[in-house]
Amino acid sequence: MSGPVPSQSGIQTVLRGFLLQYLPAGVEVISAQDNRVPEPAGDFVTMTVSRRGRLSTNVDTYQDCAFEASIADEVMTVTQVSFGSLLVGATVFGTAVAAGTLISGQTGGATGGIGIYTVTPAQTVTAQLLSSGAETIMQPTDVVIQLDVHSASDGSASDMAQTIATLIRDERATRYFADAGMDGAPLYADDPKQVPFFNGEQQYETRYVVDVHLQANQAIGLPQQFADQAVIDVVNVEATFPA
């Protein structure tokens, strides 16, 4: 099974890149809740994932793939693809294939088609018809990330928080997330609020808190086998069968 895509790290990376474009030069954007890490010098913004909310029911999609291939050690040579596309991370099925065999990479040939692939675990399989089906389960999710805007100046922190709240609900943010290739989009930001911060020396520091809501269509990939054919038998309803 593969983890959710986009991952939490991927979501935060896109958000960080967007913020760095519009915050003043020198302002750093980092993940929060890191132990034994000193507070950054100067102005900075921390990101904390506060909650996740389901936006709709799951969306399930299926992809089947049948192909002819042989396996020697950890190398799988695909000579023909009947239908579908081979995916890195997908499970390979076949009567002589070891349970849990995964496609770990492709080293040659057309992407997802005829070519050379690496698989795990190592094994020997003579040329035969194999399959590599998959099910993708996607949950549209409202990922809420708390942004803590720190600054030595109350005015600077307030202005940065206002900039974030304004731009997250603008077309610029929508285009940025789309161009970054993330399956989802920014939704909106809650109103910024001033929440004083106590540092390690028990001194007040200026901090504004902004909750940013992002839709992330996170999908989980699972192996799925499919029937090649259906064999239909006719049963005589008048026949008597032994108990």
Side-chain angles (χ1 to χ4, degrees), residues 44 48 105 137 207:
F44 62 95
T48 307
I137 306 172
R207 173 182 62 169

Side-chain angles (χ1 to χ4, degrees), residues 47-111:
M47 300 181 291
T48 307
V49 181
S50 59
R51 64 185 184 277
R52 293 166 174 267
R54 177 183 286 274
L55 294 174
S56 72
T57 55
N58 291 349
V59 178
D60 294 6
T61 56
Y62 301 90
Q63 179 177 342
D64 192 10
C65 179
F67 56 95
E68 291 185 10
S70 60
I71 301 177
D73 198 13
E74 293 184 341
V75 177
M76 180 172 71
T77 303
V78 177
T79 56
Q80 180 179 341
V81 178
S82 301
F83 55 82
S85 178
L86 284 82
L87 304 175
V88 174
T91 301
V92 178
F93 299 103
T95 55
V97 176
T101 297
L102 298 177
I103 301 175
S104 55
Q106 181 174 5
T107 58
T111 302

Side-chain angles (χ1 to χ4, degrees), residues 39-40 44 150 196-206:
E39 181 180 340
F44 62 95
H150 294 255
F197 176 77
F198 292 96
N199 61 24
E201 289 71 37
Q202 297 301 302
Q203 299 296 304
Y204 284 108
E205 290 187 7
T206 300

Side-chain angles (χ1 to χ4, degrees), residues 212-231:
V212 170
H213 295 250
L214 308 173
Q215 176 173 339
N217 299 322
Q218 292 187 286
I220 298 173
L222 298 174
Q224 176 68 51
Q225 296 193 62
F226 297 84
D228 293 5
Q229 58 186 342
V231 179

Side-chain angles (χ1 to χ4, degrees), residues 123-210:
Q123 57 197 287
T124 299
V125 177
T126 58
Q128 58 186 275
L129 183 64
L130 304 177
S131 63
S132 179
E135 177 185 10
T136 301
I137 306 172
M138 187 271 287
Q139 178 193 158
T141 304
D142 175 14
V143 179
V144 184
I145 300 179
Q146 176 181 309
L147 301 179
D148 290 14
V149 183
H150 294 255
S151 176
S153 165
D154 177 75
S156 295
S158 176
D159 289 346
M160 287 192 290
Q162 185 66 23
T163 298
I164 294 170
T166 300
L167 294 180
I168 281 294
R169 198 168 181 174
D170 189 78
E171 183 188 0
R172 285 178 177 268
T174 304
R175 288 203 310 266
Y176 183 91
F177 276 69
D179 292 343
M182 196 189 96
D183 190 359
L187 298 175
Y188 62 94
D190 292 341
D191 294 334
K193 51 185 176 291
Q194 211 265 85
V195 183
F197 176 77
F198 292 96
N199 61 24
E201 289 71 37
Q202 297 301 302
Q203 299 296 304
Y204 284 108
E205 290 187 7
T206 300
R207 173 182 62 169
Y208 274 78
V209 175
V210 184

